[in-house]
Short mmCIF file of all heavy atoms in Angstrom, two decimals:
data_model
loop_
_atom_site.label_atom_id
_atom_site.label_comp_id
_atom_site.label_asym_id
_atom_site.label_seq_id
_atom_site.Cartn_x
_atom_site.Cartn_y
_atom_site.Cartn_z
N GLY Q 829 -26.58 12.62 17.29
CA GLY Q 829 -25.54 11.70 17.28
C GLY Q 829 -25.61 10.45 18.26
O GLY Q 829 -24.69 9.65 18.37
N ALA Q 830 -26.60 10.28 19.02
CA ALA Q 830 -26.79 9.26 19.89
C ALA Q 830 -26.90 7.91 19.08
O ALA Q 830 -27.57 7.91 17.99
CB ALA Q 830 -28.00 9.41 20.88
N TYR Q 833 -30.73 4.45 23.07
CA TYR Q 833 -31.16 4.98 24.36
C TYR Q 833 -32.02 4.03 25.06
O TYR Q 833 -32.67 3.10 24.46
CB TYR Q 833 -32.03 6.33 24.23
CG TYR Q 833 -33.30 6.31 23.49
CD1 TYR Q 833 -34.41 6.15 24.48
CD2 TYR Q 833 -33.49 6.16 22.14
CE1 TYR Q 833 -35.84 6.03 23.80
CE2 TYR Q 833 -34.69 6.13 21.63
CZ TYR Q 833 -35.84 6.03 22.43
OH TYR Q 833 -37.06 5.80 21.94
N PRO Q 840 -30.84 -4.35 33.82
CA PRO Q 840 -29.48 -4.48 33.59
C PRO Q 840 -29.10 -5.29 32.40
O PRO Q 840 -28.19 -5.22 31.65
CB PRO Q 840 -28.89 -4.98 34.80
CG PRO Q 840 -29.90 -4.60 35.96
CD PRO Q 840 -31.14 -4.59 35.14
N LEU Q 850 -23.66 -2.51 20.48
CA LEU Q 850 -22.96 -1.22 20.12
C LEU Q 850 -21.52 -1.50 19.84
O LEU Q 850 -20.81 -1.11 18.82
CB LEU Q 850 -23.09 -0.23 21.16
CG LEU Q 850 -22.42 1.16 20.90
CD1 LEU Q 850 -22.96 1.81 19.50
CD2 LEU Q 850 -22.56 2.06 22.07
N LEU Q 870 6.74 2.18 -5.22
CA LEU Q 870 7.46 1.59 -4.00
C LEU Q 870 6.52 0.57 -3.29
O LEU Q 870 5.33 0.71 -3.17
CB LEU Q 870 7.46 2.77 -2.96
CG LEU Q 870 8.14 2.42 -1.55
CD1 LEU Q 870 9.50 1.90 -1.58
CD2 LEU Q 870 7.95 3.58 -0.68
N PRO Q 885 14.41 -5.14 -5.65
CA PRO Q 885 14.73 -5.09 -4.28
C PRO Q 885 15.58 -3.92 -3.92
O PRO Q 885 16.63 -3.55 -4.58
CB PRO Q 885 15.37 -6.42 -3.87
CG PRO Q 885 15.54 -7.20 -5.13
CD PRO Q 885 14.90 -6.38 -6.28
N LEU Q 899 5.63 5.78 6.60
CA LEU Q 899 5.21 6.58 5.52
C LEU Q 899 4.26 6.00 4.48
O LEU Q 899 3.35 6.67 3.99
CB LEU Q 899 6.43 7.24 4.78
CG LEU Q 899 7.37 8.17 5.70
CD1 LEU Q 899 8.54 8.54 4.88
CD2 LEU Q 899 6.64 9.50 6.14
N GLN Q 914 8.93 8.43 17.40
CA GLN Q 914 7.98 7.74 18.10
C GLN Q 914 7.38 6.45 17.57
O GLN Q 914 7.36 5.30 18.11
CB GLN Q 914 6.83 8.59 18.59
CG GLN Q 914 5.84 7.99 19.51
CD GLN Q 914 6.50 7.67 20.91
OE1 GLN Q 914 7.40 8.37 21.35
NE2 GLN Q 914 6.07 6.51 21.48
N THR Q 916 8.65 4.67 14.93
CA THR Q 916 9.58 3.74 14.39
C THR Q 916 10.36 2.98 15.70
O THR Q 916 10.76 1.88 15.50
CB THR Q 916 10.61 4.34 13.44
OG1 THR Q 916 11.32 5.31 14.07
CG2 THR Q 916 9.78 4.75 12.26
N ARG Q 924 16.88 16.55 24.55
CA ARG Q 924 17.84 15.67 25.51
C ARG Q 924 18.03 14.35 25.04
O ARG Q 924 19.20 13.84 25.11
CB ARG Q 924 17.25 15.72 26.91
CG ARG Q 924 18.13 14.99 27.99
CD ARG Q 924 17.65 15.02 29.22
NE ARG Q 924 17.59 16.30 29.86
CZ ARG Q 924 16.90 16.70 30.88
NH1 ARG Q 924 15.99 15.85 31.33
NH2 ARG Q 924 16.93 17.92 31.27
N SER Q 928 23.31 12.36 20.86
CA SER Q 928 24.15 11.12 20.81
C SER Q 928 25.12 11.15 22.00
O SER Q 928 25.87 12.19 22.17
CB SER Q 928 24.72 10.80 19.46
OG SER Q 928 25.63 9.80 19.44
#
Side-chain angles (χ1 to χ4, degrees):
Y833 70 95
L850 179 61
L870 177 68
L899 293 172
Q914 182 64 37
T916 59
R924 179 180 294 160
S928 173

